[in-house]
Amino acid sequence: MNPTEQPKDHYAETAFRAGAIPRQAPPPEKSVWGKLGSNFDIARLPWGHYVGINPSEFEYEYSGGWYRDYAYMGEQDYHDFNHINELRWSKFVDEDINLIYRFFRFWFVFWTHLLSFIGPGGGKGGGWFISAIAMVLLVLLLVLEVFDPSEKFPFDALAVPLSAFALCGVATVFKTLFEKHSIRFYKSNQNWSDDVAFCRRSGLVKSFQGNFPFYEFDAFIEIAADMKGNQRHTLKVRHRYPQFSKDKRSGLPMEFIFPTDTGSIAERYAMWDMLGRYMDVSQPLPDIPRLEPFRHLDPTTKAFDEAGKRGRPATYWRDLYANASEKELKQLREEHRQVVDAAPWGSRPDLMAQSVPGYGDSYTAEPEDVNAYGRFPSKTDRFVERTEAKDAFQQNKPDNH
Protein backbone atom coordinates (compact mmCIF):
# COMPACT_ATOMS: atom_id res chain seq x y z
CA MET A 1 0.00 0.00 0.00
CA ASN A 2 1.38 3.39 -1.00
CA PRO A 3 1.39 5.67 2.07
CA THR A 4 0.38 8.62 -0.12
CA GLU A 5 -2.95 6.97 -1.00
CA GLN A 6 -6.10 7.88 0.90
CA PRO A 7 -7.27 5.19 3.34
CA LYS A 8 -10.54 3.34 3.35
CA ASP A 9 -13.14 4.95 5.59
CA HIS A 10 -13.93 1.88 7.67
CA TYR A 11 -12.40 -0.84 9.83
CA ALA A 12 -13.11 -4.56 9.89
CA GLU A 13 -16.07 -5.77 11.94
CA THR A 14 -13.59 -7.49 14.26
CA ALA A 15 -11.73 -4.23 15.03
CA PHE A 16 -11.11 -3.69 18.74
CA ARG A 17 -12.99 -1.05 20.73
CA ALA A 18 -12.54 -0.83 24.49
CA GLY A 19 -16.19 0.12 24.89
CA ALA A 20 -17.39 -3.02 23.12
CA ILE A 21 -15.47 -5.93 24.62
CA PRO A 22 -17.69 -9.03 24.26
CA ARG A 23 -18.50 -11.57 26.95
CA GLN A 24 -15.87 -14.32 27.03
CA ALA A 25 -15.32 -17.71 28.56
CA PRO A 26 -13.40 -18.05 31.84
CA PRO A 27 -9.78 -19.14 31.46
CA PRO A 28 -9.03 -22.85 31.89
CA GLU A 29 -8.81 -23.81 35.55
CA LYS A 30 -5.58 -25.77 35.25
CA SER A 31 -3.21 -23.65 33.22
CA VAL A 32 -0.29 -21.32 33.59
CA TRP A 33 -2.82 -18.47 33.78
CA GLY A 34 -3.52 -19.37 37.39
CA LYS A 35 -3.50 -16.64 40.03
CA LEU A 36 -1.69 -14.30 37.71
CA GLY A 37 0.05 -15.86 34.75
CA SER A 38 3.26 -17.57 35.84
CA ASN A 39 5.38 -17.93 38.95
CA PHE A 40 7.37 -14.87 37.88
CA ASP A 41 4.47 -12.46 37.33
CA ILE A 42 4.11 -9.68 39.86
CA ALA A 43 1.19 -7.81 38.28
CA ARG A 44 -1.43 -8.02 35.57
CA LEU A 45 -2.13 -4.67 34.01
CA PRO A 46 -5.68 -3.33 33.62
CA TRP A 47 -7.58 -3.02 30.36
CA GLY A 48 -8.86 0.30 29.02
CA HIS A 49 -9.13 3.52 31.01
CA TYR A 50 -6.14 4.92 29.15
CA VAL A 51 -3.77 7.42 30.68
CA GLY A 52 -2.58 8.52 27.24
CA ILE A 53 1.16 8.62 27.98
CA ASN A 54 3.71 6.79 25.84
CA PRO A 55 6.90 5.10 27.11
CA SER A 56 10.05 7.19 27.10
CA GLU A 57 12.47 5.32 24.94
CA PHE A 58 13.01 2.39 22.61
CA GLU A 59 12.27 4.70 19.69
CA TYR A 60 8.81 5.64 20.91
CA GLU A 61 9.58 9.10 22.20
CA TYR A 62 12.87 11.00 22.23
CA SER A 63 15.12 8.37 20.70
CA GLY A 64 16.69 9.26 17.37
CA GLY A 65 17.02 5.93 15.56
CA TRP A 66 13.67 6.27 13.83
CA TYR A 67 14.61 9.54 12.09
CA ARG A 68 17.80 8.05 10.65
CA ASP A 69 15.68 5.24 9.17
CA TYR A 70 13.04 7.63 7.84
CA ALA A 71 15.56 10.00 6.26
CA TYR A 72 17.42 7.16 4.54
CA MET A 73 14.47 5.02 3.42
CA GLY A 74 12.02 7.64 2.28
CA GLU A 75 8.33 7.52 3.12
CA GLN A 76 7.34 4.52 0.98
CA ASP A 77 10.05 2.12 2.20
CA TYR A 78 9.78 3.46 5.74
CA HIS A 79 6.11 2.49 5.72
CA ASP A 80 6.81 -1.04 4.49
CA PHE A 81 10.08 -1.80 6.30
CA ASN A 82 9.21 -0.25 9.65
CA HIS A 83 8.03 -2.60 12.40
CA ILE A 84 4.98 -0.41 13.07
CA ASN A 85 2.63 1.52 10.79
CA GLU A 86 -1.07 2.38 10.78
CA LEU A 87 -1.99 -1.22 9.81
CA ARG A 88 0.10 -3.51 11.98
CA TRP A 89 2.65 -3.67 14.80
CA SER A 90 4.89 -6.48 13.63
CA LYS A 91 6.57 -8.85 16.11
CA PHE A 92 8.62 -10.95 13.69
CA VAL A 93 11.22 -10.16 11.05
CA ASP A 94 11.93 -12.61 8.25
CA GLU A 95 15.49 -11.80 7.21
CA ASP A 96 16.71 -12.64 3.73
CA ILE A 97 20.25 -13.47 4.83
CA ASN A 98 22.14 -16.72 5.41
CA LEU A 99 22.94 -18.32 8.77
CA ILE A 100 26.68 -17.67 8.55
CA TYR A 101 26.09 -13.94 8.22
CA ARG A 102 23.61 -14.01 11.12
CA PHE A 103 26.13 -15.84 13.30
CA PHE A 104 28.97 -13.37 12.74
CA ARG A 105 26.65 -10.38 12.94
CA PHE A 106 25.32 -11.54 16.31
CA TRP A 107 28.77 -11.80 17.88
CA PHE A 108 29.95 -8.60 16.21
CA VAL A 109 27.00 -6.67 17.62
CA PHE A 110 27.29 -8.40 21.01
CA TRP A 111 30.94 -7.51 21.61
CA THR A 112 30.93 -4.03 20.08
CA HIS A 113 27.85 -3.02 22.06
CA LEU A 114 29.17 -4.62 25.25
CA LEU A 115 32.58 -2.92 25.09
CA SER A 116 31.56 0.41 23.59
CA PHE A 117 31.98 3.63 25.56
CA ILE A 118 28.62 4.76 24.15
CA GLY A 119 25.53 3.06 25.54
CA PRO A 120 21.85 3.08 24.52
CA GLY A 121 20.40 6.55 24.05
CA GLY A 122 23.84 8.14 24.01
CA GLY A 123 24.58 7.24 27.64
CA LYS A 124 27.68 5.62 29.05
CA GLY A 125 28.38 2.12 27.78
CA GLY A 126 30.15 -0.93 29.15
CA GLY A 127 33.53 0.32 27.93
CA TRP A 128 33.80 2.65 30.91
CA PHE A 129 33.13 -0.24 33.28
CA ILE A 130 35.75 -2.44 31.60
CA SER A 131 38.31 0.34 31.65
CA ALA A 132 37.60 1.04 35.32
CA ILE A 133 38.17 -2.62 36.17
CA ALA A 134 41.49 -2.51 34.34
CA MET A 135 42.56 0.53 36.35
CA VAL A 136 41.56 -1.14 39.61
CA LEU A 137 43.54 -4.20 38.58
CA LEU A 138 46.57 -2.00 37.93
CA VAL A 139 46.31 -0.44 41.39
CA LEU A 140 46.04 -3.85 43.01
CA LEU A 141 49.12 -5.06 41.16
CA LEU A 142 51.06 -2.05 42.35
CA VAL A 143 49.86 -2.39 45.94
CA LEU A 144 50.75 -6.07 46.02
CA GLU A 145 54.15 -5.28 44.48
CA VAL A 146 53.74 -7.83 41.77
CA PHE A 147 56.16 -5.82 39.66
CA ASP A 148 59.81 -5.29 40.56
CA PRO A 149 59.82 -2.58 43.26
CA SER A 150 63.37 -1.58 42.28
CA GLU A 151 62.00 0.07 39.15
CA LYS A 152 61.03 3.71 39.45
CA PHE A 153 57.73 3.01 37.76
CA PRO A 154 56.50 -0.28 36.28
CA PHE A 155 55.57 1.05 32.86
CA ASP A 156 54.80 -2.48 31.75
CA ALA A 157 51.83 -2.41 34.10
CA LEU A 158 50.22 0.32 32.01
CA ALA A 159 49.69 -2.23 29.28
CA VAL A 160 46.65 -3.57 31.17
CA PRO A 161 44.50 -0.41 31.28
CA LEU A 162 45.82 0.92 27.96
CA SER A 163 44.93 -2.34 26.20
CA ALA A 164 41.47 -2.29 27.73
CA PHE A 165 40.96 1.34 26.77
CA ALA A 166 42.17 0.70 23.21
CA LEU A 167 39.93 -2.36 22.85
CA CYS A 168 36.88 -0.44 24.04
CA GLY A 169 37.80 2.46 21.76
CA VAL A 170 37.90 0.17 18.73
CA ALA A 171 34.56 -1.36 19.80
CA THR A 172 33.08 2.14 20.05
CA VAL A 173 34.23 2.99 16.53
CA PHE A 174 32.82 -0.24 15.09
CA LYS A 175 29.53 0.19 16.97
CA THR A 176 29.16 3.73 15.63
CA LEU A 177 29.92 2.63 12.07
CA PHE A 178 27.50 -0.29 12.35
CA GLU A 179 24.65 1.90 13.58
CA LYS A 180 25.37 4.49 10.88
CA HIS A 181 25.69 2.20 7.87
CA SER A 182 23.65 -0.94 8.70
CA ILE A 183 20.50 0.83 7.48
CA ARG A 184 21.81 0.35 3.93
CA PHE A 185 20.84 -3.31 4.16
CA TYR A 186 17.29 -2.81 5.46
CA LYS A 187 15.67 -4.53 2.47
CA SER A 188 17.38 -7.79 3.42
CA ASN A 189 17.28 -7.63 7.22
CA GLN A 190 14.16 -5.61 8.08
CA ASN A 191 11.44 -7.58 6.33
CA TRP A 192 8.88 -7.15 9.10
CA SER A 193 6.20 -9.81 8.79
CA ASP A 194 2.46 -9.22 8.53
CA ASP A 195 1.95 -12.84 9.64
CA VAL A 196 3.03 -12.22 13.26
CA ALA A 197 1.62 -8.86 14.25
CA PHE A 198 -0.92 -6.85 16.22
CA CYS A 199 -3.28 -5.59 13.52
CA ARG A 200 -5.21 -2.37 14.16
CA ARG A 201 -7.67 -2.50 11.27
CA SER A 202 -8.81 -6.05 12.04
CA GLY A 203 -8.37 -6.12 15.82
CA LEU A 204 -6.58 -9.46 15.51
CA VAL A 205 -3.26 -10.71 16.80
CA LYS A 206 -1.79 -12.82 14.02
CA SER A 207 0.65 -15.61 14.77
CA PHE A 208 1.93 -18.93 13.45
CA GLN A 209 -0.47 -20.65 15.88
CA GLY A 210 -3.48 -18.83 14.45
CA ASN A 211 -5.23 -15.46 14.61
CA PHE A 212 -6.88 -14.36 17.85
CA PRO A 213 -8.84 -11.27 18.98
CA PHE A 214 -6.76 -8.71 20.82
CA TYR A 215 -9.12 -8.76 23.80
CA GLU A 216 -8.11 -12.38 24.49
CA PHE A 217 -4.65 -11.24 25.60
CA ASP A 218 -3.49 -9.96 28.98
CA ALA A 219 -0.43 -7.93 29.92
CA PHE A 220 1.85 -9.02 32.75
CA ILE A 221 4.89 -7.55 34.45
CA GLU A 222 7.35 -10.41 34.80
CA ILE A 223 10.30 -10.24 37.18
CA ALA A 224 13.68 -11.90 36.81
CA ALA A 225 17.00 -11.52 38.59
CA ASP A 226 20.59 -11.88 37.46
CA MET A 227 23.47 -13.53 39.33
CA LYS A 228 24.06 -10.35 41.33
CA GLY A 229 20.45 -10.14 42.47
CA ASN A 230 19.58 -7.19 40.24
CA GLN A 231 15.93 -7.21 39.23
CA ARG A 232 14.77 -7.01 35.64
CA HIS A 233 11.15 -6.38 34.72
CA THR A 234 9.60 -7.33 31.40
CA LEU A 235 6.23 -6.58 29.84
CA LYS A 236 4.70 -9.73 28.37
CA VAL A 237 1.40 -9.91 26.51
CA ARG A 238 0.06 -13.44 26.86
CA HIS A 239 -2.92 -15.26 25.34
CA ARG A 240 -5.52 -15.97 28.00
CA TYR A 241 -6.66 -19.30 26.51
CA PRO A 242 -3.48 -21.35 25.96
CA GLN A 243 -5.42 -24.48 25.08
CA PHE A 244 -6.02 -22.87 21.69
CA SER A 245 -2.68 -21.18 21.09
CA LYS A 246 0.17 -22.90 22.93
CA ASP A 247 3.22 -23.89 20.96
CA LYS A 248 2.90 -27.52 19.85
CA ARG A 249 6.61 -28.18 20.36
CA SER A 250 7.28 -26.42 23.67
CA GLY A 251 3.76 -26.56 25.12
CA LEU A 252 4.12 -22.96 26.31
CA PRO A 253 1.32 -20.42 25.93
CA MET A 254 1.65 -17.82 23.20
CA GLU A 255 3.10 -14.56 24.45
CA PHE A 256 4.88 -11.51 23.11
CA ILE A 257 7.58 -9.40 24.75
CA PHE A 258 7.42 -5.62 24.38
CA PRO A 259 10.79 -4.06 25.21
CA THR A 260 10.80 -0.75 27.03
CA ASP A 261 13.23 1.64 28.64
CA THR A 262 15.39 0.02 31.32
CA GLY A 263 14.00 2.44 33.90
CA SER A 264 10.89 2.21 36.04
CA ILE A 265 8.02 -0.25 36.09
CA ALA A 266 5.79 2.67 35.10
CA GLU A 267 7.44 2.47 31.68
CA ARG A 268 5.89 -1.00 31.25
CA TYR A 269 2.48 0.39 32.13
CA ALA A 270 3.00 3.13 29.56
CA MET A 271 3.87 0.53 26.91
CA TRP A 272 0.67 -1.43 27.59
CA ASP A 273 -1.31 1.81 27.53
CA MET A 274 0.19 2.68 24.16
CA LEU A 275 -0.47 -0.79 22.72
CA GLY A 276 -4.10 -0.60 23.85
CA ARG A 277 -4.59 2.79 22.20
CA TYR A 278 -2.85 1.54 19.07
CA MET A 279 -5.28 -1.38 18.75
CA ASP A 280 -8.39 0.57 19.84
CA VAL A 281 -9.92 2.12 16.70
CA SER A 282 -12.02 4.46 18.84
CA GLN A 283 -8.70 6.13 19.75
CA PRO A 284 -6.30 8.02 17.48
CA LEU A 285 -2.93 6.42 16.87
CA PRO A 286 -0.42 7.06 19.65
CA ASP A 287 1.41 10.31 18.93
CA ILE A 288 4.90 8.85 18.54
CA PRO A 289 7.60 9.58 15.94
CA ARG A 290 7.40 6.26 14.08
CA LEU A 291 3.68 6.64 13.43
CA GLU A 292 3.59 10.32 12.54
CA PRO A 293 4.07 9.83 8.75
CA PHE A 294 1.01 7.54 8.67
CA ARG A 295 -1.49 9.43 10.82
CA HIS A 296 -3.44 10.60 7.76
CA LEU A 297 -3.87 6.99 6.64
CA ASP A 298 -5.87 5.96 9.71
CA PRO A 299 -9.54 7.13 9.62
CA THR A 300 -9.94 7.84 13.35
CA THR A 301 -6.59 9.58 13.59
CA LYS A 302 -7.18 11.62 10.44
CA ALA A 303 -10.50 12.91 11.79
CA PHE A 304 -8.89 13.62 15.17
CA ASP A 305 -6.09 15.66 13.61
CA GLU A 306 -8.32 17.52 11.16
CA ALA A 307 -10.49 18.59 14.09
CA GLY A 308 -7.43 20.23 15.61
CA LYS A 309 -7.36 17.91 18.64
CA ARG A 310 -3.77 16.80 18.22
CA GLY A 311 -2.51 20.27 19.02
CA ARG A 312 0.70 19.79 17.05
CA PRO A 313 1.87 20.48 13.48
CA ALA A 314 1.59 17.54 11.08
CA THR A 315 5.39 17.19 10.99
CA TYR A 316 6.04 17.89 14.67
CA TRP A 317 8.33 14.90 15.31
CA ARG A 318 10.17 15.14 12.00
CA ASP A 319 10.94 18.81 12.56
CA LEU A 320 12.03 18.17 16.15
CA TYR A 321 14.52 15.45 15.24
CA ALA A 322 15.79 17.30 12.20
CA ASN A 323 16.79 20.29 14.34
CA ALA A 324 17.40 19.05 17.90
CA SER A 325 20.81 18.00 19.18
CA GLU A 326 21.43 14.75 21.05
CA LYS A 327 21.85 16.79 24.21
CA GLU A 328 18.42 18.38 23.75
CA LEU A 329 16.81 15.02 23.01
CA LYS A 330 18.40 13.54 26.12
CA GLN A 331 16.96 16.35 28.24
CA LEU A 332 13.51 15.87 26.71
CA ARG A 333 13.80 12.14 27.35
CA GLU A 334 14.65 12.66 31.01
CA GLU A 335 11.76 15.09 31.43
CA HIS A 336 9.40 12.60 29.82
CA ARG A 337 10.56 9.83 32.16
CA GLN A 338 9.41 11.99 35.06
CA VAL A 339 6.03 12.40 33.37
CA VAL A 340 5.71 8.62 32.99
CA ASP A 341 6.63 7.98 36.63
CA ALA A 342 4.20 10.63 37.91
CA ALA A 343 1.22 9.37 35.89
CA PRO A 344 -1.70 7.74 37.79
CA TRP A 345 -1.10 4.14 36.71
CA GLY A 346 -2.17 2.42 39.94
CA SER A 347 -5.66 1.29 41.04
CA ARG A 348 -7.40 2.14 37.76
CA PRO A 349 -10.57 0.28 36.70
CA ASP A 350 -10.13 -2.88 34.65
CA LEU A 351 -12.70 -3.11 31.85
CA MET A 352 -11.96 -6.79 31.24
CA ALA A 353 -13.46 -7.66 34.64
CA GLN A 354 -16.87 -7.02 33.11
CA SER A 355 -16.33 -9.52 30.31
CA VAL A 356 -14.40 -12.50 31.76
CA PRO A 357 -15.94 -14.45 34.68
CA GLY A 358 -13.62 -14.53 37.68
CA TYR A 359 -11.18 -12.11 36.08
CA GLY A 360 -11.19 -9.66 38.97
CA ASP A 361 -10.52 -12.44 41.49
CA SER A 362 -7.18 -13.35 39.90
CA TYR A 363 -5.22 -10.34 41.14
CA THR A 364 -4.67 -8.66 44.45
CA ALA A 365 -4.30 -5.07 45.56
CA GLU A 366 -2.11 -2.80 43.48
CA PRO A 367 0.19 0.00 44.68
CA GLU A 368 -0.86 3.51 43.76
CA ASP A 369 2.75 4.05 42.76
CA VAL A 370 3.33 1.01 40.57
CA ASN A 371 7.10 1.41 40.90
CA ALA A 372 6.66 -0.03 44.40
CA TYR A 373 6.58 -3.44 42.70
CA GLY A 374 10.30 -3.06 42.04
CA ARG A 375 11.44 -2.26 45.57
CA PHE A 376 11.12 -3.68 49.05
CA PRO A 377 7.81 -2.93 50.80
CA SER A 378 7.75 0.43 52.52
CA LYS A 379 5.40 1.94 55.06
CA THR A 380 4.88 4.82 52.66
CA ASP A 381 3.62 2.55 49.86
CA ARG A 382 -0.18 2.45 49.71
CA PHE A 383 -1.78 -0.65 48.20
CA VAL A 384 -5.39 -0.29 47.05
CA GLU A 385 -8.00 -2.36 45.27
CA ARG A 386 -8.81 -1.51 41.69
CA THR A 387 -11.97 0.56 41.43
CA GLU A 388 -15.12 -0.64 39.70
CA ALA A 389 -15.04 -0.53 35.91
CA LYS A 390 -18.62 0.74 35.55
CA ASP A 391 -18.85 3.51 32.96
CA ALA A 392 -15.05 3.72 32.90
CA PHE A 393 -15.04 3.80 29.11
CA GLN A 394 -16.67 7.22 29.14
CA GLN A 395 -13.31 8.59 30.22
CA ASN A 396 -11.55 6.97 27.27
CA LYS A 397 -13.24 8.85 24.46
CA PRO A 398 -10.87 10.63 22.05
CA ASP A 399 -12.36 14.00 23.05
CA ASN A 400 -10.66 13.58 26.42
CA HIS A 401 -7.53 11.93 25.04
Side-chain angles (χ1 to χ4, degrees):
M1 176 179 172
N2 192 320
T4 60
E5 296 177 357
Q6 290 297 314
K8 296 180 179 179
D9 59 357
H10 64 275
Y11 300 97
E13 293 183 1
T14 54
F16 171 72
R17 294 174 175 84
I21 300 175
R23 187 75 172 175
Q24 300 164 71
E29 294 183 3
K30 295 181 179 180
S31 73
V32 294
W33 192 81
K35 185 69 176 176
L36 276 174
S38 80
N39 293 332
F40 303 102
D41 294 329
I42 60 174
R44 189 179 69 219
L45 280 55
W47 275 89
H49 203 79
Y50 308 117
V51 174
I53 296 177
N54 304 315
S56 302
E57 210 167 325
F58 241 85
E59 301 183 1
Y60 298 126
E61 286 202 25
Y62 307 115
S63 182
W66 81 275
Y67 185 72
R68 178 201 62 191
D69 295 351
Y70 178 79
Y72 186 89
M73 293 180 181
E75 191 161 327
Q76 174 62 63
D77 279 359
Y78 181 72
H79 178 276
D80 297 339
F81 290 93
N82 187 27
H83 74 283
I84 180 173
N85 55 34
E86 86 287 357
L87 300 175
R88 57 98 179 106
W89 187 327
S90 181
K91 298 298 294 178
F92 179 77
V93 60
D94 186 14
E95 296 183 298
D96 187 21
I97 54 179
N98 60 51
L99 292 176
I100 296 177
Y101 174 80
R102 295 189 194 197
F103 175 83
F104 284 105
R105 183 189 62 184
F106 171 81
W107 288 109
F108 175 83
V109 172
F110 176 83
W111 286 111
T112 56
H113 285 60
L114 176 67
L115 300 176
S116 172
F117 288 117
I118 303 174
K124 292 184 178 180
W128 293 107
F129 179 72
I130 300 297
S131 299
I133 291 178
M135 289 298 299
V136 171
L137 180 61
L138 172 62
V139 173
L140 289 175
L141 292 175
L142 294 175
V143 170
L144 297 174
E145 297 184 349
V146 173
F147 297 96
D148 189 352
S150 63
E151 296 184 10
K152 293 183 178 179
F153 185 84
F155 289 99
D156 292 344
L158 292 176
V160 177
L162 288 177
S163 298
F165 191 84
L167 178 63
C168 294
V170 171
T172 303
V173 172
F174 279 123
K175 176 179 182 290
T176 303
L177 291 174
F178 177 82
E179 292 179 343
K180 181 179 180 180
H181 298 290
S182 62
I183 186 61
R184 295 182 178 182
F185 308 101
Y186 68 90
K187 289 191 176 182
S188 62
N189 61 19
Q190 290 191 21
N191 296 312
W192 291 100
S193 172
D194 293 340
D195 297 326
V196 182
F198 286 70
C199 303
R200 176 174 169 91
R201 291 270 177 113
S202 66
L204 298 177
V205 178
K206 301 177 70 176
S207 72
F208 294 132
Q209 289 99 300
N211 302 332
F212 305 93
F214 176 59
Y215 54 74
E216 289 187 354
F217 288 78
D218 294 314
F220 296 88
I221 301 294
E222 186 178 88
I223 186 174
D226 59 23
M227 296 294 291
K228 297 180 180 179
N230 298 317
Q231 292 183 356
R232 182 178 69 255
H233 300 91
T234 306
L235 173 66
K236 291 192 174 182
V237 179
R238 187 178 303 130
H239 192 230
R240 191 181 308 124
Y241 306 100
Q243 69 270 34
F244 301 117
S245 61
K246 65 182 179 181
D247 189 283
K248 294 181 179 179
R249 291 173 295 181
S250 67
L252 297 174
M254 181 170 62
E255 64 180 14
F256 299 90
I257 297 175
F258 282 82
T260 59
D261 179 66
T262 55
S264 65
I265 292 178
E267 295 284 352
R268 280 73 178 166
Y269 274 74
M271 173 61 74
W272 174 238
D273 192 87
M274 185 174 73
L275 178 62
R277 286 180 284 117
Y278 173 81
M279 291 296 291
D280 190 343
V281 297
S282 69
Q283 299 284 313
L285 287 169
D287 195 352
I288 58 175
R290 285 191 176 273
L291 286 173
E292 183 177 67
F294 321 129
R295 292 181 67 87
H296 66 288
L297 300 176
D298 180 74
T300 299
T301 310
K302 181 181 179 182
F304 183 84
D305 291 354
E306 289 180 347
K309 297 176 181 178
R310 184 189 181 194
R312 288 174 169 175
T315 58
Y316 169 80
W317 289 113
R318 280 173 281 182
D319 295 341
L320 174 65
Y321 281 87
N323 299 300
S325 66
E326 179 58 37
K327 182 179 180 180
E328 291 171 322
L329 291 175
K330 183 177 180 180
Q331 180 179 350
L332 290 170
R333 189 160 53 241
E334 293 302 323
E335 292 173 354
H336 188 72
R337 284 197 181 105
Q338 297 178 18
V339 172
V340 172
D341 283 341
W345 301 112
S347 68
R348 289 175 296 143
D350 193 336
L351 296 183
M352 196 58 68
Q354 297 178 328
S355 302
V356 179
Y359 192 87
D361 298 331
S362 62
Y363 52 72
T364 56
E366 181 179 41
E368 284 187 320
D369 176 10
V370 296
N371 291 319
Y373 279 128
R375 57 178 180 257
F376 288 106
S378 169
K379 293 181 179 179
T380 60
D381 293 329
R382 182 168 177 261
F383 281 71
V384 293
E385 298 290 340
R386 288 177 179 168
T387 55
E388 293 293 331
K390 184 179 180 181
D391 299 327
F393 177 69
Q394 296 301 316
Q395 302 180 40
N396 292 333
K397 291 183 178 180
D399 288 347
N400 298 324
H401 179 73

